Amino acid sequence: MLYCISTGEQILLSDNAASLAVQAFLQMCNLPIKVVCRANAEYMSPSGKVPFIHVGNQVVSELGPIVQFVKAKGHSLSDGLDEVQKAEMKAYMELVNNMLLTAELYLQWCDEATVGEITHARYGSPYPWPLNHILAYQKQWEIKRKMKAIGWGKKTLDQVLEDVDQCCQALSQRLGTQPYFFNKQPTELDALVFGHLYTILTTQLTNDELSEKVKNYSNLLAFCRRIEQHYFEDRGKDRLS
Amino acid sequence: MAASLELSCWGGGWGLPSVHSESLVVMAYAKFSGAPLKVNVIDNTWRGSRGDVPILTTEDNIVSQPAKILNFLRKQKYNADYELSAKQGADTLAYIALLEEKLLPAVLHTFWVESDNYFTVTKPWFASQIPFPLSLILPGRMSRGALNRILLTRGQPPLYHLREVEAQIYRDAKECLNLLSNRLGTSQFFFGNTPSTLDAYVFGFLAPLYKVRFPKIQLQEHLKQLSNLCRFCDDILSSYFRISLGGISPAGQDMVDANLQKLTQLVNKESNLIEKMDDNLRQSPQLPPRKLPTLKLTPAEEENNSFQRLSP
């Protein structure tokens, strides 16, 4: 059972991306999942992050540990890779986490326009006043502290967008004309990239510059479309959560 | 062409031109790309505490942070990545992200947070580079900054205790080192035979970990087991950092030390010889004086004897 924050009203860009990445990964492994949406999913998770899966009596959160958990159960997508390729895959996953995820967080929480219009309202929507304001401000303060610690506190929006562009360029160059990042078989890297890019492309924000940056790279668009068709529409899912 | 480029950064020790990772990255890149960089070792460092070191100063610009400095050098036509393909450029970005996420927390921890290491090695070294009274304040501030960074990026939520995070970051760092070693394999640099940005970054992060002598060294031991990474660091140090004048003091000092050793050995040998000679001299002249009294006695005895013979 996969838990994530309820869509529609509450979910935010970065959490949506992470949830989608895990869903894609599990679909690629051919594991049946049931998606459950809860407003307080963030607090139910052992590490404070969504999404997390609940299997039997075990709870595992975040993509990395989930991949390892699934591997221990005997399903793995990256067994066919040699050592150098595994190193590359891990490096690219870190790149995505480092650049795309941080950029998403920045845009959501540190860009004043987005924060005011979208994030505050969405994050606090299931709670009554004044709790919604308090929780939103607390989360914002936390994220800003983190940004400052890693040196993104002083970046302007343009610099962040430039970093996203560089990251997309790197991903696009690595993908080239192949169907997946490591040729014929999808791996967890494909799931992660799909999760982030699809969410960026389909979420409406105050400014569309982020999705514009991604749209510049046609092979990335084709990649997302391919995974969507292959893994989500074929299984009869009517709605991507 | 660019006017004189000056780099302000932390100084060197233990055979390295600089002990600070980010400064080392910039210095290595400058050497690889052939940029003429004049290195100023800083000692007046309010800037250092805010993480602004290293800083590149030209006539019109002041650039901080390694990534920006490298970009600036590339724009000035000092490009070490000229021969890389697009895919290799992408790989570079990915591996740098891997280094920053997985290896940097553990390096920061080894230098600044682990109390044995911090109090016996890091703090005295940095304090010796900074004038009093800043030397009392700045190392503490840098240590707290490092701890903050580790906790905020790794120990989510920030309520976790450091000990739980420690195990995780060292595990990640060892995995990262293994991955780097696998990627490097037996080649001399990461992309063929010429060094590039990625080599500069890897060298910058690994060299302090490899060379600085710490009391608590679990990560260093792990690194030493990966012989191709150690060879990588040593190669870069010997080919790029022995020839210049600024950074030669470690190498020069080694030579001076060797000369000094030889001199002391010679002196010791000479003094041994002198002692032996002294002994010989003392022993040999003593023999003839002992003979003289016996010679004197015998004529006296003879006289006595002769007198006695005469008297009766």
Side-chain angles (χ1 to χ4, degrees), chain A residues 46-47 49 83-84 86-88 90-92 94-95 98 142 145-146 149-151 159 166 170 173-174, chain B residues 65 68 86-87 90-91 93-95 97-98 100-102 148-149 152-153 156-158 160 175 179 182-183:
Chain A
S47 77
K49 292 222 158 161
E83 289 299 326
V84 174
K86 279 195 182 151
E88 266 188 47
K90 292 231 152 72
Y92 274 96
E94 286 308 323
L95 179 67
N98 210 353
E142 232 182 83
R145 258 181 85 197
K146 185 172 162 178
I150 57 174
Q159 284 173 327
Q166 245 187 5
Q173 280 166 351
R174 178 66 180 82
Chain B
Q65 285 190 356
K68 288 189 199 155
K87 178 176 172 309
D91 281 350
L93 268 183
Y95 276 102
L98 185 71
E100 284 186 358
E101 277 288 312
K102 300 276 182 179
N148 228 4
R149 181 171 174 150
L152 283 178
T153 53
Q156 301 120 352
Y160 277 176
E175 201 192 315
L179 289 175
N182 282 335
R183 176 67 180 79

Side-chain angles (χ1 to χ4, degrees), chain A residues 20 26 32 51 57-58 63 73 85 87-88 103 113 126 132 134 145 154-155 158-159 163 181 192 213 231:
Chain A
L20 198 56
L26 292 172
N57 57 353
Q58 280 178 316
L63 185 64
K73 298 283 182 189
Q85 285 178 317
E88 266 188 47
N132 51 359
I134 297 176
R145 258 181 85 197
K154 298 196 193 117
K155 285 201 179 182
D158 287 329
Q159 284 173 327
D163 283 339
F181 274 98
L192 185 65
K213 292 279 176 198
Y231 288 100

Side-chain angles (χ1 to χ4, degrees), chain A residues 116-129:
Chain A
E117 274 189 43
I118 300 183
T119 322
H120 265 204
R122 286 200 135 193
Y123 189 74
S125 59
Y127 306 107
W129 193 90

Side-chain angles (χ1 to χ4, degrees), chain A residues 29-76:
Chain A
C29 291
N30 280 323
L31 294 171
I33 52 164
K34 185 169 150 231
V35 180
V36 176
C37 293
R38 289 269 187 282
N40 58 344
E42 206 180 19
Y43 300 103
M44 283 164 73
S45 153
S47 77
K49 292 222 158 161
V50 282
F52 61 95
I53 55 174
H54 179 212
V55 177
N57 57 353
Q58 280 178 316
V59 183
V60 187
S61 67
E62 288 190 71
L63 185 64
I66 291 180
V67 168
Q68 284 181 333
F69 178 76
V70 166
K71 194 166 174 182
K73 298 283 182 189
H75 299 273
S76 172

